[in-house]
PDB file of all heavy atoms in Angstrom:
ATOM      1  N   HIS A 241     -57.196  60.943  -7.935  1.00  0.00           N
ATOM      2  CA  HIS A 241     -57.689  59.715  -8.562  1.00  0.00           C
ATOM      3  C   HIS A 241     -58.668  60.056  -9.689  1.00  0.00           C
ATOM      4  O   HIS A 241     -58.623  59.449 -10.767  1.00  0.00           O
ATOM      5  CB  HIS A 241     -58.365  58.850  -7.492  1.00  0.00           C
ATOM      6  CG  HIS A 241     -58.784  57.497  -7.950  1.00  0.00           C
ATOM      7  ND1 HIS A 241     -59.965  57.266  -8.622  1.00  0.00           N
ATOM      8  CD2 HIS A 241     -58.179  56.294  -7.834  1.00  0.00           C
ATOM      9  CE1 HIS A 241     -60.066  55.982  -8.890  1.00  0.00           C
ATOM     10  NE2 HIS A 241     -59.011  55.358  -8.430  1.00  0.00           N
ATOM     11  N   ALA A 242     -59.543  61.025  -9.458  1.00  0.00           N
ATOM     12  CA  ALA A 242     -60.488  61.439 -10.495  1.00  0.00           C
ATOM     13  C   ALA A 242     -59.757  62.076 -11.676  1.00  0.00           C
ATOM     14  O   ALA A 242     -60.038  61.762 -12.837  1.00  0.00           O
ATOM     15  CB  ALA A 242     -61.516  62.405  -9.908  1.00  0.00           C
ATOM     16  N   GLU A 243     -58.820  62.960 -11.388  1.00  0.00           N
ATOM     17  CA  GLU A 243     -58.043  63.586 -12.452  1.00  0.00           C
ATOM     18  C   GLU A 243     -57.234  62.555 -13.221  1.00  0.00           C
ATOM     19  O   GLU A 243     -57.000  62.682 -14.430  1.00  0.00           O
ATOM     20  CB  GLU A 243     -57.088  64.634 -11.873  1.00  0.00           C
ATOM     21  CG  GLU A 243     -57.760  65.863 -11.297  1.00  0.00           C
ATOM     22  CD  GLU A 243     -56.742  66.855 -10.747  1.00  0.00           C
ATOM     23  OE1 GLU A 243     -55.531  66.698 -11.059  1.00  0.00           O
ATOM     24  OE2 GLU A 243     -57.146  67.763 -10.008  1.00  0.00           O
ATOM     25  N   GLY A 244     -56.791  61.527 -12.488  1.00  0.00           N
ATOM     26  CA  GLY A 244     -55.903  60.542 -13.071  1.00  0.00           C
ATOM     27  C   GLY A 244     -56.536  59.640 -14.098  1.00  0.00           C
ATOM     28  O   GLY A 244     -55.842  58.831 -14.730  1.00  0.00           O
ATOM     29  N   ALA A 245     -57.837  59.747 -14.311  1.00  0.00           N
ATOM     30  CA  ALA A 245     -58.486  58.959 -15.361  1.00  0.00           C
ATOM     31  C   ALA A 245     -57.853  59.261 -16.718  1.00  0.00           C
ATOM     32  O   ALA A 245     -57.742  58.367 -17.565  1.00  0.00           O
ATOM     33  CB  ALA A 245     -59.982  59.255 -15.399  1.00  0.00           C
ATOM     34  N   ASP A 246     -57.443  60.508 -16.935  1.00  0.00           N
ATOM     35  CA  ASP A 246     -56.752  60.838 -18.179  1.00  0.00           C
ATOM     36  C   ASP A 246     -55.434  61.559 -17.951  1.00  0.00           C
ATOM     37  O   ASP A 246     -54.603  61.623 -18.859  1.00  0.00           O
ATOM     38  CB  ASP A 246     -57.650  61.676 -19.095  1.00  0.00           C
ATOM     39  CG  ASP A 246     -58.062  63.008 -18.489  1.00  0.00           C
ATOM     40  OD1 ASP A 246     -57.901  63.188 -17.269  1.00  0.00           O
ATOM     41  OD2 ASP A 246     -58.551  63.859 -19.250  1.00  0.00           O
ATOM     42  N   ARG A 247     -55.190  62.078 -16.743  1.00  0.00           N
ATOM     43  CA  ARG A 247     -53.940  62.768 -16.440  1.00  0.00           C
ATOM     44  C   ARG A 247     -53.402  62.250 -15.103  1.00  0.00           C
ATOM     45  O   ARG A 247     -53.608  62.861 -14.061  1.00  0.00           O
ATOM     46  CB  ARG A 247     -54.161  64.285 -16.366  1.00  0.00           C
ATOM     47  CG  ARG A 247     -54.597  64.928 -17.674  1.00  0.00           C
ATOM     48  CD  ARG A 247     -53.468  64.878 -18.707  1.00  0.00           C
ATOM     49  NE  ARG A 247     -53.868  65.512 -19.971  1.00  0.00           N
ATOM     50  CZ  ARG A 247     -53.118  65.526 -21.065  1.00  0.00           C
ATOM     51  NH1 ARG A 247     -51.940  64.938 -21.048  1.00  0.00           N
ATOM     52  NH2 ARG A 247     -53.550  66.117 -22.161  1.00  0.00           N
ATOM     53  N   PRO A 248     -52.732  61.113 -15.109  1.00  0.00           N
ATOM     54  CA  PRO A 248     -52.224  60.559 -13.845  1.00  0.00           C
ATOM     55  C   PRO A 248     -51.313  61.546 -13.117  1.00  0.00           C
ATOM     56  O   PRO A 248     -50.559  62.301 -13.742  1.00  0.00           O
ATOM     57  CB  PRO A 248     -51.458  59.317 -14.290  1.00  0.00           C
ATOM     58  CG  PRO A 248     -52.104  58.926 -15.580  1.00  0.00           C
ATOM     59  CD  PRO A 248     -52.467  60.215 -16.241  1.00  0.00           C
ATOM     60  N   ARG A 249     -51.398  61.530 -11.808  1.00  0.00           N
ATOM     61  CA  ARG A 249     -50.696  62.490 -10.971  1.00  0.00           C
ATOM     62  C   ARG A 249     -49.843  61.772  -9.920  1.00  0.00           C
ATOM     63  O   ARG A 249     -49.821  60.545  -9.840  1.00  0.00           O
ATOM     64  CB  ARG A 249     -51.705  63.398 -10.251  1.00  0.00           C
ATOM     65  CG  ARG A 249     -52.665  64.136 -11.158  1.00  0.00           C
ATOM     66  CD  ARG A 249     -51.976  65.182 -11.996  1.00  0.00           C
ATOM     67  NE  ARG A 249     -52.949  66.078 -12.632  1.00  0.00           N
ATOM     68  CZ  ARG A 249     -52.626  67.134 -13.362  1.00  0.00           C
ATOM     69  NH1 ARG A 249     -51.370  67.426 -13.563  1.00  0.00           N
ATOM     70  NH2 ARG A 249     -53.565  67.890 -13.893  1.00  0.00           N
ATOM     71  N   MET A 250     -49.214  62.566  -9.080  1.00  0.00           N
ATOM     72  CA  MET A 250     -48.400  62.069  -7.973  1.00  0.00           C
ATOM     73  C   MET A 250     -48.888  62.712  -6.688  1.00  0.00           C
ATOM     74  O   MET A 250     -49.243  63.893  -6.664  1.00  0.00           O
ATOM     75  CB  MET A 250     -46.929  62.412  -8.225  1.00  0.00           C
ATOM     76  CG  MET A 250     -45.998  62.089  -7.068  1.00  0.00           C
ATOM     77  SD  MET A 250     -44.309  62.625  -7.431  1.00  0.00           S
ATOM     78  CE  MET A 250     -43.606  62.480  -5.786  1.00  0.00           C
ATOM     79  N   MET A 251     -48.908  61.938  -5.594  1.00  0.00           N
ATOM     80  CA  MET A 251     -49.305  62.445  -4.286  1.00  0.00           C
ATOM     81  C   MET A 251     -48.231  62.099  -3.268  1.00  0.00           C
ATOM     82  O   MET A 251     -47.857  60.927  -3.117  1.00  0.00           O
ATOM     83  CB  MET A 251     -50.642  61.845  -3.840  1.00  0.00           C
ATOM     84  CG  MET A 251     -51.062  62.243  -2.438  1.00  0.00           C
ATOM     85  SD  MET A 251     -52.628  61.467  -1.965  1.00  0.00           S
ATOM     86  CE  MET A 251     -52.776  62.048  -0.258  1.00  0.00           C
ATOM     87  N   SER A 252     -47.713  63.102  -2.584  1.00  0.00           N
ATOM     88  CA  SER A 252     -46.764  62.891  -1.492  1.00  0.00           C
ATOM     89  C   SER A 252     -47.491  62.996  -0.163  1.00  0.00           C
ATOM     90  O   SER A 252     -48.404  63.815  -0.006  1.00  0.00           O
ATOM     91  CB  SER A 252     -45.641  63.934  -1.530  1.00  0.00           C
ATOM     92  OG  SER A 252     -44.902  63.838  -2.739  1.00  0.00           O
ATOM     93  N   VAL A 253     -47.087  62.171   0.804  1.00  0.00           N
ATOM     94  CA  VAL A 253     -47.608  62.233   2.165  1.00  0.00           C
ATOM     95  C   VAL A 253     -46.416  62.370   3.111  1.00  0.00           C
ATOM     96  O   VAL A 253     -45.555  61.493   3.140  1.00  0.00           O
ATOM     97  CB  VAL A 253     -48.417  60.972   2.523  1.00  0.00           C
ATOM     98  CG1 VAL A 253     -48.929  61.059   3.962  1.00  0.00           C
ATOM     99  CG2 VAL A 253     -49.574  60.787   1.551  1.00  0.00           C
ATOM    100  N   GLY A 254     -46.361  63.476   3.850  1.00  0.00           N
ATOM    101  CA  GLY A 254     -45.245  63.734   4.747  1.00  0.00           C
ATOM    102  C   GLY A 254     -45.558  63.304   6.174  1.00  0.00           C
ATOM    103  O   GLY A 254     -46.578  63.696   6.738  1.00  0.00           O
ATOM    104  N   LEU A 255     -44.667  62.507   6.771  1.00  0.00           N
ATOM    105  CA  LEU A 255     -44.830  61.980   8.120  1.00  0.00           C
ATOM    106  C   LEU A 255     -43.576  62.262   8.944  1.00  0.00           C
ATOM    107  O   LEU A 255     -42.474  62.378   8.402  1.00  0.00           O
ATOM    108  CB  LEU A 255     -45.057  60.460   8.071  1.00  0.00           C
ATOM    109  CG  LEU A 255     -46.177  59.963   7.159  1.00  0.00           C
ATOM    110  CD1 LEU A 255     -46.039  58.463   6.942  1.00  0.00           C
ATOM    111  CD2 LEU A 255     -47.538  60.316   7.743  1.00  0.00           C
ATOM    112  N   HIS A 256     -43.770  62.358  10.261  1.00  0.00           N
ATOM    113  CA  HIS A 256     -42.658  62.534  11.199  1.00  0.00           C
ATOM    114  C   HIS A 256     -42.842  61.604  12.383  1.00  0.00           C
ATOM    115  O   HIS A 256     -43.970  61.426  12.861  1.00  0.00           O
ATOM    116  CB  HIS A 256     -42.587  63.985  11.703  1.00  0.00           C
ATOM    117  CG  HIS A 256     -42.333  65.002  10.628  1.00  0.00           C
ATOM    118  ND1 HIS A 256     -43.304  65.381   9.719  1.00  0.00           N
ATOM    119  CD2 HIS A 256     -41.226  65.722  10.330  1.00  0.00           C
ATOM    120  CE1 HIS A 256     -42.789  66.293   8.890  1.00  0.00           C
ATOM    121  NE2 HIS A 256     -41.527  66.507   9.249  1.00  0.00           N
ATOM    122  N   CYS A 257     -41.738  61.064  12.859  1.00  0.00           N
ATOM    123  CA  CYS A 257     -41.809  60.107  13.980  1.00  0.00           C
ATOM    124  C   CYS A 257     -42.439  60.728  15.217  1.00  0.00           C
ATOM    125  O   CYS A 257     -43.215  60.076  15.921  1.00  0.00           O
ATOM    126  CB  CYS A 257     -40.413  59.604  14.322  1.00  0.00           C
ATOM    127  SG  CYS A 257     -39.558  58.784  12.962  1.00  0.00           S
ATOM    128  N   ARG A 258     -42.102  61.966  15.518  1.00  0.00           N
ATOM    129  CA  ARG A 258     -42.586  62.616  16.739  1.00  0.00           C
ATOM    130  C   ARG A 258     -43.993  63.186  16.574  1.00  0.00           C
ATOM    131  O   ARG A 258     -44.561  63.704  17.538  1.00  0.00           O
ATOM    132  CB  ARG A 258     -41.625  63.726  17.170  1.00  0.00           C
ATOM    133  CG  ARG A 258     -41.509  64.875  16.183  1.00  0.00           C
ATOM    134  CD  ARG A 258     -40.388  65.841  16.531  1.00  0.00           C
ATOM    135  NE  ARG A 258     -40.276  66.921  15.564  1.00  0.00           N
ATOM    136  CZ  ARG A 258     -39.654  66.837  14.393  1.00  0.00           C
ATOM    137  NH1 ARG A 258     -39.114  65.681  14.016  1.00  0.00           N
ATOM    138  NH2 ARG A 258     -39.579  67.871  13.582  1.00  0.00           N
ATOM    139  N   ILE A 259     -44.559  63.094  15.359  1.00  0.00           N
ATOM    140  CA  ILE A 259     -45.884  63.666  15.113  1.00  0.00           C
ATOM    141  C   ILE A 259     -46.885  62.544  14.876  1.00  0.00           C
ATOM    142  O   ILE A 259     -47.646  62.182  15.778  1.00  0.00           O
ATOM    143  CB  ILE A 259     -45.853  64.669  13.942  1.00  0.00           C
ATOM    144  CG1 ILE A 259     -44.777  65.753  14.187  1.00  0.00           C
ATOM    145  CG2 ILE A 259     -47.221  65.332  13.793  1.00  0.00           C
ATOM    146  CD1 ILE A 259     -44.635  66.768  13.078  1.00  0.00           C
ATOM    147  N   THR A 260     -46.903  61.947  13.680  1.00  0.00           N
ATOM    148  CA  THR A 260     -47.825  60.837  13.448  1.00  0.00           C
ATOM    149  C   THR A 260     -47.465  59.622  14.287  1.00  0.00           C
ATOM    150  O   THR A 260     -48.299  58.736  14.493  1.00  0.00           O
ATOM    151  CB  THR A 260     -47.869  60.465  11.952  1.00  0.00           C
ATOM    152  OG1 THR A 260     -48.235  61.618  11.185  1.00  0.00           O
ATOM    153  CG2 THR A 260     -48.894  59.384  11.668  1.00  0.00           C
ATOM    154  N   GLY A 261     -46.251  59.574  14.792  1.00  0.00           N
ATOM    155  CA  GLY A 261     -45.859  58.485  15.676  1.00  0.00           C
ATOM    156  C   GLY A 261     -46.541  58.501  17.026  1.00  0.00           C
ATOM    157  O   GLY A 261     -46.416  57.551  17.806  1.00  0.00           O
TER     158      GLY A 261
END
Side-chain angles (χ1 to χ4, degrees):
H241 187 277
E243 292 180 14
D246 61 345
R247 296 292 181 185
R249 304 292 193 176
M250 173 183 167
M251 175 181 177
S252 298
V253 179
L255 307 165
H256 298 74
C257 301
R258 64 189 179 279
I259 306 178
T260 303

